[in-house]
Amino acid sequence: MSDHRPENVDTPKGLVLAITAYLLWGFLPLYMKALAHVPSVEVVAHRVIWSVPVAGALLVALGRTRDLRAALRNPRMLGMACLTAALISVNWAIYVWSIANGRALDAALGYYINPLFSIALAGLFLGERLSRAQMGAILLAAAGVAVLIAQAGELPWVALGLTFSWGFYALFKRSLPIGPNQGFLLEVLILSPFALAYVVWIKAQGQGHFGDFGADSLLLAGAGVVTAVPLLFYANGAKLVRLSTMGILQYIAPTMIFVTAVALFGEEIDRARMIAFPMIWAALVIYSVPMLRQMRRAA
């Protein structure tokens, strides 16, 4: 059976894969909160290490290992993969730290801002023309961030760090002429020597949390599954639904993180957040309405 599908069509398989990815990301703070007592760098190292067998097994099952071997022999592709690997590791580190340190609301804010930042990047680097509504949405979101800065007297670095790292990761990922599954395995393979060296070093210092076959070891080993599986669902789902549909679906995860932060983690919505979050939600509505209209016309 051919894998060809009509352009600009949402397939049932693609919707299931994409929604599953965002739901899994929405539940991820609960998993990371259970590892809050483990240093963030150690958690990220294990996310990298244990992602390798998960992504590798999938690639073997799909019979696509030849693409990976070709990528490893291509200096330009390897260099670009090093850049995307560095960006995704920074994103993971900020995210893990934010959950462990009671800043899940800031993480949610970062992922709410991200689609608007991606639009701005597309306009700057890809030459995409921005509509008046998109420009208005970006400016409104920027005003919301300005409210937070004015109240706190400092940059909301968690939110902006997540936004910038994921936004540039997605931008540069477009330049990787390799499939999403192969690309993810290539990234974690690049990071794995550093991750392994760090885990061995802290274990030698008597500070590591892995190796006693207790709850920490199980959770750290499972970090590879909870890292790789949503990313692989997302990467494969994105190919089978329209870009505008993915734009709407991506609000699932930050909304779940927001609810979790307030309802389960007890984080407070201070005055600045009470102003900034509605401004950014309004920006997302301005951004989303034209997409929904376009989807309706296409249907």
Side-chain angles (χ1 to χ4, degrees):
M1 182 181 292
S2 172
D3 288 334
H4 178 75
R5 68 180 181 89
E7 288 296 319
N8 204 34
V9 171
D10 293 326
T11 67
K13 180 182 177 182
L15 286 170
V16 169
L17 289 171
I19 291 170
T20 301
Y22 285 121
L23 288 173
L24 290 172
W25 275 326
F27 284 115
L28 189 58
L30 299 174
Y31 194 97
M32 291 301 159
K33 199 69 168 178
L35 285 167
H37 59 288
V38 179
S40 301
V41 177
E42 185 177 356
V43 175
V44 172
H46 281 281
R47 290 186 78 172
V48 169
I49 292 165
W50 298 104
S51 289
V52 172
V54 177
L58 177 64
L59 218 58
V60 169
L62 293 173
R64 303 303 298 269
T65 54
R66 184 183 300 175
D67 297 344
L68 182 67
R69 290 197 297 272
L72 289 168
R73 292 193 294 267
N74 184 324
R76 183 182 175 280
M77 197 182 302
L78 207 53
M80 186 60 73
C82 286
L83 179 58
T84 58
L87 286 166
I88 197 63
S89 64
V90 169
N91 183 270
W92 288 348
I94 296 172
Y95 178 82
V96 170
W97 184 92
S98 69
I99 301 300
N101 289 273
R103 305 285 288 274
L105 277 174
D106 289 343
L109 178 67
Y111 289 119
Y112 275 129
I113 297 171
N114 184 69
L116 302 172
F117 181 65
S118 293
I119 298 172
L121 287 179
L124 287 171
F125 294 101
L126 302 179
E128 294 184 12
R129 296 189 65 179
L130 304 183
S131 69
R132 200 170 293 175
Q134 287 175 326
M135 284 296 297
I138 292 168
L139 291 173
L140 187 55
V145 173
V147 169
L148 293 172
I149 295 170
Q151 173 71 20
E154 61 181 13
L155 286 172
W157 70 268
V158 168
L160 295 179
L162 289 171
T163 298
F164 291 161
S165 58
W166 184 264
F168 281 109
Y169 172 75
L171 177 69
F172 293 133
K173 188 87 166 173
R174 292 169 62 103
S175 304
L176 266 181
I178 189 173
N181 302 314
Q182 299 95 311
F184 176 67
L185 179 55
L186 181 59
E187 288 163 355
V188 290
L189 281 173
I190 289 168
L191 294 169
S192 59
F194 305 100
L196 280 166
Y198 178 77
V199 167
V200 169
W201 180 73
I202 59 171
K203 193 65 180 174
Q205 304 292 314
Q207 298 171 355
H209 290 76
F210 184 82
D212 58 0
F213 302 104
D216 284 350
S217 294
L218 291 173
L219 287 169
L220 287 170
V225 175
V226 301
T227 296
V229 170
L231 266 173
L232 294 170
F233 272 120
Y234 169 82
N236 289 280
K239 297 186 297 182
L240 300 172
V241 298
R242 287 173 293 180
L243 186 61
S244 54
T245 303
M246 290 300 284
I248 299 298
L249 293 178
Q250 67 185 325
Y251 304 148
I252 294 172
T255 300
M256 291 176 67
I257 296 170
F258 180 91
V259 172
T260 300
V262 175
L264 299 180
F265 298 165
E267 295 188 25
E268 292 185 9
I269 305 176
D270 56 26
R271 185 182 300 173
R273 285 171 172 164
M274 287 177 70
I275 298 170
F277 267 99
M279 290 176 74
I280 289 160
W281 289 333
L284 292 173
V285 170
I286 294 168
Y287 158 68
S288 302
V289 166
M291 283 200 305
L292 290 169
R293 287 177 180 160
Q294 184 182 355
M295 289 166 64
R296 196 170 296 169
R297 282 198 299 267

